[in-house]
Amino acid sequence: MFYYSTRNSNKKVSFAEAALSGLAPDGGLFVPQEIPEYRDQVRSSLGSMDFRDIAYETIKPYVDGEIGESALSDIIHSAFTFDALYVAVLDRFAVELFHGPTAAFKDFGARFMARAFSFMRRGEDAPLHILVATSGDTGGAVADGFFNVQGINVTVLYPKGRVTPLQEKQIAGLGKNIKAIQVEGSFDDCQRLVKAALADEGLKKRMALSSANSINISRLIPQAVYYSAAAGRAFSGRTDKDGDATPRLAGFTPARESRAGFPITLCVPSGNFGNLTAGLYAMKMGAPIKQFIAATNINKTVPDYLDSGNYLARNSQATISNAMDVGAPSNFERMSAHFSWEQMRKVILGVCVTDEETRETIVRVHKSAGYFLDPHSAVGWKGVDKLAAEKKIEEGPVGILCTAHPAKFSEVTRPLTGSPPVPASLERAMDRTVNAKTIPADVSALIETLLEID
């Protein structure tokens, strides 16, 4: 499998080169030369396969010839020590992506990436320095995934005052090979600084650099796995039992079962749009997915594009679903490389949700189902409500990607529903001490800080 830049399809590179460089030299994002299809036997068995077997079949064609079968199996079994659960909640289904160590969907991509990087750099003497911008959950997942990985240093940039206290402790509380920088600006500023640093020729001559945002293809591809797993479950009419971290009150039980034989509609709470792009890959590979819903908060750049055909990036606005506060989503460039506006409109419905609607949804779902939603998952839930009222959702099961555990956003959820149960991994993170340097939103300040760290 070869990869090319979204800005230049002529130069082909390997998976290792695309992953380890993060960003293409021309500033574009790497995309696969083709999106492979599942073998018929795999496609028909997605509903009954173990999650790690689905991961192997999904990822293998993207790394074929570079990560051998045995090594890939080892990476997958080390990275995915948890599942993505598909559970019923009222009239729809929750795809619970928060059963990993940082209680967010970013654990899937970050843990695979850390182990793949370690494998691909075996035998290297010079350390690799990874830069990552985060609006909240990415930084914690990357920090955890790469913590104590030999030969790799990580610097996480996050917007000062725009992440929760728990997120900040996950980002800036580990130490050792994980460094944190809080930027006086927005997530878009953090993302801009990372891209500028990765493209700086002088800096690249002094250190080996890569990224760990969803702009990195090696973090995006593993995210396709949980789409295929959920779609397989839905099509086969199966659901999972609640897991240890499932935020459902005792005494409340699922109100429905899944009907077999229907492809699923999946609602994706969306910010930088890497997650939805991974879902599009799963659909193209053959997972039984009917359509997607791109649910955003008031940062509705992509829903506006889907309505009008005009893409207009803008400054992000702060909301209670802070990980989605993105006004210029990087992965839109990747989506556009694969799909035209007309093609996107056929498979993606766009919808935006206000903070007031988000709070109301958290309260209503908790009261009706005894189920706690975090603010991002609540945006997805309300997005489905809105489109269902407009009769825009086709027949079949509807799943909400629940991207983070509500305990990560207790500042929002506690006044509305009381305190949700706290997973053990989050309890441990709460005891950490934050250690971060503050810089202005200026690339020279970032480069100076990186050289000091290195």
Side-chain angles (χ1 to χ4, degrees):
M1 175 72 75
F2 289 102
Y3 296 80
Y4 63 89
S5 169
T6 50
R7 301 180 188 180
N8 179 5
S9 61
N10 295 320
K11 187 176 186 300
K12 308 293 192 299
V13 301
S14 66
F15 173 77
E17 186 175 346
L20 293 172
S21 58
L23 199 65
D26 58 11
L29 307 186
F30 285 112
V31 293
Q33 190 173 15
E34 61 180 356
I35 299 176
E37 294 185 3
Y38 287 120
R39 295 179 289 120
D40 289 344
Q41 182 180 358
V42 172
R43 186 185 295 111
S44 62
S45 302
L46 289 173
S48 58
M49 291 172 67
D50 180 79
F51 186 84
R52 281 139 291 276
D53 293 333
I54 296 174
Y56 180 86
E57 294 293 343
T58 302
I59 299 170
K60 184 178 183 297
Y62 292 100
V63 302
D64 193 34
E66 298 183 67
I67 301 178
E69 294 181 357
S70 178
L72 179 59
S73 180
D74 289 345
I75 288 170
I76 286 170
H77 281 80
S78 174
F80 303 143
T81 56
F82 49 92
D83 291 335
L85 301 185
Y86 180 72
V87 303
V89 182
L90 296 177
D91 63 341
R92 59 199 67 164
F93 301 89
V95 184
E96 296 184 338
L97 304 179
F98 44 68
H99 289 272
T102 71
F105 79 98
K106 309 291 179 73
D107 284 326
F108 290 94
R111 288 173 64 83
F112 175 84
M113 172 190 274
R115 288 149 181 78
F117 273 29
S118 181
F119 175 82
M120 291 185 290
R121 283 185 57 81
R122 64 197 185 282
E124 293 281 350
D125 293 327
L128 177 68
H129 200 122
I130 291 177
L131 301 180
V132 57
T134 184
S135 56
D137 285 335
T138 291
V142 170
D144 182 88
F146 281 92
F147 183 58
N148 271 342
V149 172
Q150 191 70 26
I152 300 179
N153 298 319
V154 176
T155 298
V156 183
L157 282 70
Y158 64 97
K160 183 179 180 180
R162 294 199 185 186
V163 300
T164 70
L166 174 57
Q167 286 175 325
E168 189 170 31
K169 289 181 178 183
Q170 289 181 314
I171 294 165
L174 285 171
K176 293 190 177 181
N177 64 321
I178 310 297
K179 307 299 181 185
I181 298 174
Q182 52 181 343
V183 176
E184 294 175 325
S186 66
F187 167 75
D188 293 323
D189 291 316
C190 297
Q191 188 165 251
R192 173 178 56 81
L193 294 184
V194 166
K195 286 185 175 181
L198 291 171
D200 188 279
E201 293 299 329
L203 186 62
K204 287 194 290 185
K205 289 178 181 178
R206 301 185 65 171
M207 61 175 64
L209 291 170
S210 186
S211 71
N213 283 90
S214 56
I215 59 176
N216 193 307
I217 192 67
S218 68
R219 213 197 83 188
L220 186 145
I221 288 171
Q223 293 178 246
V225 177
Y226 49 72
Y227 284 95
S228 295
R233 285 282 195 274
F235 196 77
S236 65
R238 297 179 60 194
T239 56
D240 294 311
K241 295 180 180 179
D242 287 359
D244 291 341
T246 296
R248 197 194 311 262
L249 289 175
F252 285 84
T253 56
R256 61 169 296 180
E257 296 181 353
S258 183
R259 290 175 59 199
F262 287 90
I264 193 170
T265 294
L266 287 169
C267 181
V268 188
S270 300
N272 209 27
F273 277 81
N275 201 5
L276 182 55
T277 304
L280 291 168
Y281 280 23
M283 173 187 272
K284 293 276 282 185
M285 292 185 75
I289 301 170
K290 180 173 292 185
Q291 62 183 351
F292 293 97
I293 297 170
T296 70
N297 54 31
I298 58 174
N299 295 284
K300 56 190 183 78
T301 301
V302 172
D304 283 351
Y305 166 79
L306 292 170
D307 282 342
S308 68
N310 296 316
Y311 179 80
L312 180 62
R314 61 204 72 174
N315 293 328
S316 61
Q317 301 180 63
T319 73
I320 60 172
S321 49
N322 67 299
M324 296 157 58
D325 293 348
V326 184
S330 289
N331 276 283
F332 179 78
E333 186 169 339
R334 196 173 261 140
M335 290 167 62
S336 299
H338 292 296
F339 301 93
S340 67
W341 174 60
E342 292 82 3
Q343 290 171 327
M344 283 191 215
R345 282 170 56 87
K346 289 181 180 179
V347 295
I348 306 173
L349 300 173
V351 63
C352 67
V353 175
T354 67
D355 277 356
E356 181 180 357
E357 291 172 325
T358 302
R359 290 188 180 94
E360 178 275 327
T361 301
I362 291 172
V363 172
R364 174 167 48 87
V365 173
H366 181 263
K367 183 177 180 180
S368 301
Y371 194 88
F372 293 87
L373 292 172
D374 84 285
H376 308 81
S377 307
V379 167
W381 191 286
K382 183 61 178 181
V384 170
D385 290 342
K386 286 186 166 185
L387 293 174
E390 298 172 9
K391 301 189 183 305
K392 291 184 177 180
I393 299 178
E394 298 179 20
E395 183 181 7
V398 177
I400 314 292
L401 267 66
C402 293
T403 53
H405 196 280
K408 297 192 74 171
F409 301 90
S410 58
E411 293 79 8
V412 176
T413 60
R414 187 185 301 114
L416 301 172
T417 61
S419 298
V422 180
S425 61
L426 297 187
E427 289 183 338
R428 290 191 294 269
M430 289 174 181
D431 293 331
R432 297 176 188 165
T433 299
V434 171
N435 184 12
K437 180 172 181 178
T438 302
I439 66 169
D442 180 78
V443 68
S444 61
L446 173 59
I447 291 174
E448 180 181 346
T449 300
L450 292 175
L451 292 175
E452 290 174 356
I453 291 173
D454 195 62

